[in-house]
Amino acid sequence: RPSMLGHDVGHALPELRRQAESLMVDVGTVNIVTSVFDPTMNANVETLTPVYSGRMRVWRATSSATAEAAGQQVTALPLRCALPWATSGIEPGQIVVLSAAADPRLVGKRLIVRDVSSATHSVRRVLTLVDHQD
């Protein structure tokens, strides 16, 4: 027999997900990156193929993360990205590119997807992003 709380949460999720999407004021794409060697240019040429395009919200996290850069441990506030809950096909290593953002410094930057949330009763899909241009 399902618990009453579980039923209440399940019943409320569609409205909560609509509310979460209403806060997604940035616009961008999540892309698969492929790199192919072009002999005429004598260089690798990257192609970005969108797996998601549309509304999102990107913000700086409030808790720090530790990463390694040039052999040194550095602490930074990672970026988070919220996508609609129904978004699928998003995986670590893909690239987020914003075309419009509340923070204009993020427009056009290539942000690497480091992690993708998978919680069942979430109201949005949350990505952890790394700005490799920092």
Side-chain angles (χ1 to χ4, degrees):
R1 172 174 134 103
S3 74
M4 198 60 168
L5 178 60
H7 173 74
D8 291 346
V9 169
H11 183 70
L13 276 175
E15 176 57 27
L16 294 171
R17 287 176 177 161
R18 278 191 290 281
Q19 289 176 17
E21 285 186 43
S22 74
L23 299 173
M24 296 177 191
V25 296
D26 304 326
V27 178
T29 58
V30 181
N31 305 277
I32 295 173
V33 180
T34 53
S35 182
V36 177
F37 183 75
D38 182 342
T40 59
M41 295 176 64
N42 196 30
N44 284 328
V45 177
E46 283 190 349
T47 302
L48 299 179
T49 305
V51 293
Y52 171 80
S53 183
R55 295 170 55 151
M56 57 181 63
R57 184 170 72 92
V58 177
W59 72 98
R60 188 75 56 187
T62 56
S63 59
S64 64
T66 304
E68 187 170 320
Q72 300 289 322
Q73 290 291 323
V74 293
T75 300
L77 294 175
L79 290 166
R80 300 275 192 249
C81 176
L83 299 175
W85 171 250
T87 305
S88 62
I90 310 299
E91 298 179 9
Q94 294 174 343
I95 302 290
V96 173
V97 179
L98 291 157
S99 55
D103 181 349
R105 296 171 297 179
L106 296 175
V107 174
K109 281 193 164 193
R110 293 168 51 115
L111 306 166
I112 303 167
V113 177
R114 185 174 73 197
D115 190 35
V116 181
S117 69
S118 59
T120 305
H121 287 96
S122 183
V123 296
R124 64 190 190 246
R125 180 87 50 215
V126 178
L127 314 177
T128 301
L129 306 176
V130 176
D131 181 358
H132 75 284
Q133 297 165 345
D134 275 350

